[in-house]
Amino acid sequence: MLSLADVDHLLTETAIRTPAVRVAHNGTVLAESAFTRGGSLAGRPLTGLVDPVKLMRLHDEGATIVLQGLQRYWTPVSDLVAELELELGHPCQANAYLTPPGAQGFAVHTDSHDVFVLQTHGTKLWEIHGDGGPGELLLEPGVVAYLPTGTPHAARAQEAVSLHLTIGINQLTWRQLVSRLVGDVLAEVPDEHLPSGYLDDPARLVEELGSRLDAVAEGVRRLDAPAAARAEAERFLGNRPPRMAGALLDREALVRGLADDTPLRRRPGHPCVVVADGDTLRLLLGDRVLRVPARLREAIDVVAAKVELTPADLPLDAASSLVLCRRLVREGLLEVVR
């Protein structure tokens, strides 16, 4: 998932920039200037480039290095986060923490979201506060801990450098959903001025305020809970980050040509939810919605149900199967097995 060698590569061999990296020492987040430098690319200036010499010096002095938003640029973590989002129905994010032996990056603190902690290198002793007071938990590679929202915690590396990955669950809440639905109803209330003179006679507001509140209440009563639930799921499934790793290689494979027995598979973390819409189907693919003719329903159901398939698996004639598979490869739902 994320080894010490992987982190070494990211920090010392790539042009990684802030805010993808931050550094903390003795509970304080250091200024970016302490570990970055300037540079240029094609004659244009670049700022916030991580300076590996400065960074390693700070690490030697006990600083914790944080890799932020790893799901955006490290494929194994990206795959995990995408799959987890589809499992939970909540947006997720990933950070990694590289802490020198015996060091502690942050004092006891809480997070505003649920967290899964995956230890990948070394060991780290966690101080976790619960109803019964503080307790200790030693995390070793392969061990995963779950910290619900608001759990006070701190952690200290042991004899060797510690590397752990945190998966943050940015929960969608009932209040957010209900507020969005009620907000649509409130948007129908005329945005007219209150009548003058109501400061001396608040009763001047009563009749019209009552009628507007009645209208809002009636609008809320008219809300269709099943339709709103479906719309919420579709909103999530159509608004995820794009997942196109290997798209160039897939296009090269298409140039060489697909055959009936070409092995294909669903790209990891890519949803394929089918919604009937008249004479078309809407395929919710994560970052976009794809429309195809409704007559392809049986074939699309096969694609949605299988992790791996070949064009010959689809209940279509050979030519139509190849046309559909080529389209789904170009759209990123399917990839050619290499």
Side-chain angles (χ1 to χ4, degrees):
M1 185 64 62
L2 185 72
S3 69
L4 191 63
D6 296 333
V7 172
D8 184 279
H9 165 71
L10 289 170
L11 295 177
T12 66
E13 298 182 71
T14 69
I16 195 167
R17 302 170 63 186
T18 57
V21 176
R22 64 185 171 120
V23 179
H25 195 194
N26 294 328
T28 300
V29 176
L30 303 185
E32 293 181 2
S33 58
F35 60 92
T36 62
R37 60 182 177 84
S40 64
L41 180 63
R44 301 184 63 177
L46 292 176
T47 59
L49 287 167
V50 169
D51 186 327
V53 174
K54 292 181 180 179
L55 191 65
M56 290 301 101
R57 185 179 297 124
L58 291 171
H59 187 65
D60 290 340
E61 294 171 356
T64 290
I65 300 169
V66 185
L67 288 163
Q68 302 191 120
L70 271 167
Q71 77 280 359
R72 297 185 181 275
Y73 55 90
W74 191 248
T75 300
V77 173
S78 178
D79 289 346
L80 171 65
V81 166
E83 295 280 5
L84 191 59
E85 285 187 335
L86 296 183
E87 183 74 19
L88 299 178
H90 296 275
C92 301
Q93 65 186 38
N95 293 347
Y97 296 79
L98 181 70
T99 304
Q104 177 176 314
F106 298 92
V108 174
H109 64 283
T110 62
D111 292 318
S112 59
H113 50 264
D114 288 7
V115 170
F116 291 101
V117 182
L118 296 76
Q119 189 75 22
T120 71
H121 184 90
T123 58
K124 208 164 195 180
L125 186 63
W126 288 69
E127 175 188 334
I128 301 176
H129 295 248
D131 293 337
E136 291 185 342
L137 175 66
L138 182 67
L139 289 190
E140 302 172 320
V143 176
V144 179
Y146 169 61
L147 303 180
T149 300
T151 302
H153 62 276
R156 182 177 296 276
Q158 299 302 287
E159 292 79 11
V161 63
S162 166
L163 175 64
H164 77 264
L165 186 69
T166 65
I167 307 295
I169 315 301
N170 299 313
Q171 300 98 324
L172 302 177
T173 67
W174 285 111
R175 179 180 296 177
Q176 292 169 343
L177 176 56
V178 172
S179 295
R180 188 158 53 247
L181 296 172
V182 173
D184 293 338
V185 175
L186 293 177
E188 298 177 3
V189 177
D191 198 18
E192 300 169 345
H193 296 172
L194 298 180
S196 59
Y198 78 89
L199 296 180
D200 294 327
D201 183 13
R204 299 188 64 180
L205 298 180
V206 172
E207 182 177 351
E208 287 197 52
L209 178 58
S211 66
R212 283 167 168 75
L213 290 176
D214 288 342
V216 169
E218 179 59 28
V220 171
R221 281 192 292 269
R222 287 198 307 267
L223 289 173
D224 186 336
R230 290 192 298 271
E232 176 67 9
E234 291 187 21
R235 187 184 70 85
F236 187 89
L237 292 168
N239 193 33
R240 312 313 317 135
R243 297 190 55 73
M244 292 293 287
L248 286 175
L249 299 177
D250 286 334
R251 278 155 173 75
E252 177 66 16
L254 292 181
V255 170
R256 292 195 300 269
L258 295 185
D260 289 344
D261 60 351
T262 299
L264 306 171
R265 66 173 162 236
R266 290 264 302 280
R267 185 168 266 106
H270 223 309
C272 180
V273 175
V274 185
V275 180
D277 191 2
D279 59 354
T280 65
L281 302 175
R282 286 187 292 123
L283 308 187
L284 310 181
L285 302 184
D287 63 315
R288 79 202 88 110
V289 177
L290 175 66
R291 286 185 177 272
V292 299
R295 59 182 171 78
L296 298 177
R297 180 63 192 248
E298 290 186 18
I300 294 298
D301 284 344
V302 171
V303 174
K306 286 179 172 287
V307 175
E308 297 190 359
L309 68 150
T310 67
D313 293 330
L314 303 185
L316 298 170
D317 63 81
S320 297
S321 293
L322 291 174
V323 169
L324 178 58
C325 287
R326 280 195 292 266
R327 173 82 184 279
L328 297 181
V329 168
R330 288 190 177 278
E331 292 291 343
L333 176 62
L334 297 178
E335 60 183 0
V336 180
V337 176
R338 289 178 282 276

